[in-house]
Amino acid sequence: MIDDLDRKIMQTLTRDGRTPYTALARDLGVSEATVRQRVSRLQESGALRIVALCNPLTLGHQSVRLMIRVRDLTPRAVAKSLADMPMVNHVALCAGSQDIFLEGTCRDQAQLVQLLDDIRMLPGVSRVQVLLLLELFKDYSWNGLDSAVGQSEAGG
């Protein structure tokens, strides 16, 4: 279970994953050991992962979103294969007209073509819908999830 203290820790780390535990402890009115234990537990449970992110478009990279239909295999089996690809950042199962949502980043157009070829050749992939990002205006992975559904202080 995630409680209010866990949410406050995650909210702070979402804004700046390098926030020292001593600063977190001071701001939240708890000991550094408590913060360290809470962060460790959240990481072990898979609820929290601290990473560095960059805006791929500002680096001249290609950022792509794909909607994938699956045939002859389960979406879960195909998703596991997709998750192993180095250019793939995010893979999720979907409900609706598509089975899998994928986010990927490629250093250039040639690598994007290779990624699309690799995905289309995967067993079980029947259709790939490509969305090539031109400009990002908001990305929760950079701005934090504190205003997103399920991330409020009350847990709603």
Side-chain angles (χ1 to χ4, degrees), residues 18-150:
R18 297 180 306 160
T19 303
Y21 292 164
T22 52
L24 268 169
R26 181 190 64 242
D27 294 346
L28 298 174
V30 298
S31 71
E32 181 182 353
T34 297
V35 171
R36 188 173 306 284
Q37 290 168 352
R38 294 287 185 116
V39 169
S40 179
R41 182 178 48 80
L42 290 166
Q43 288 176 313
E44 288 171 9
S45 73
L48 176 67
R49 183 172 177 207
I50 301 170
V51 298
L53 297 172
C54 63
N55 180 339
L57 299 178
T58 63
L59 300 173
H61 298 299
Q62 299 283 302
S63 191
V64 65
R65 305 301 187 257
L66 306 177
M67 299 299 296
I68 300 171
R69 290 286 313 247
V70 173
R71 184 182 61 223
D72 301 330
L73 291 176
T74 66
R76 186 177 303 264
V78 175
K80 287 179 181 177
S81 296
L82 291 166
D84 290 335
M85 294 181 166
M87 292 167 281
V88 172
N89 308 327
H90 179 95
V91 180
L93 297 180
C94 301
S97 63
Q98 304 296 320
D99 299 306
I100 298 172
F101 173 76
L102 179 145
E103 294 180 3
T105 304
C106 301
R107 72 177 164 271
D108 54 29
Q109 190 173 8
Q111 193 177 50
L112 174 60
V113 170
Q114 184 61 54
L115 174 64
L116 293 173
D117 286 348
D118 292 347
I119 289 172
R120 288 180 175 125
M121 290 187 303
L122 271 180
V125 172
S126 68
R127 182 171 173 237
V128 178
Q129 182 179 358
V130 180
L131 300 167
L132 188 60
L133 301 189
L134 302 176
E135 186 175 358
L136 284 172
F137 289 91
K138 184 174 185 178
D139 186 321
Y140 283 120
S141 62
W142 302 334
N143 299 325
L145 298 170
D146 52 327
S147 64
V149 174

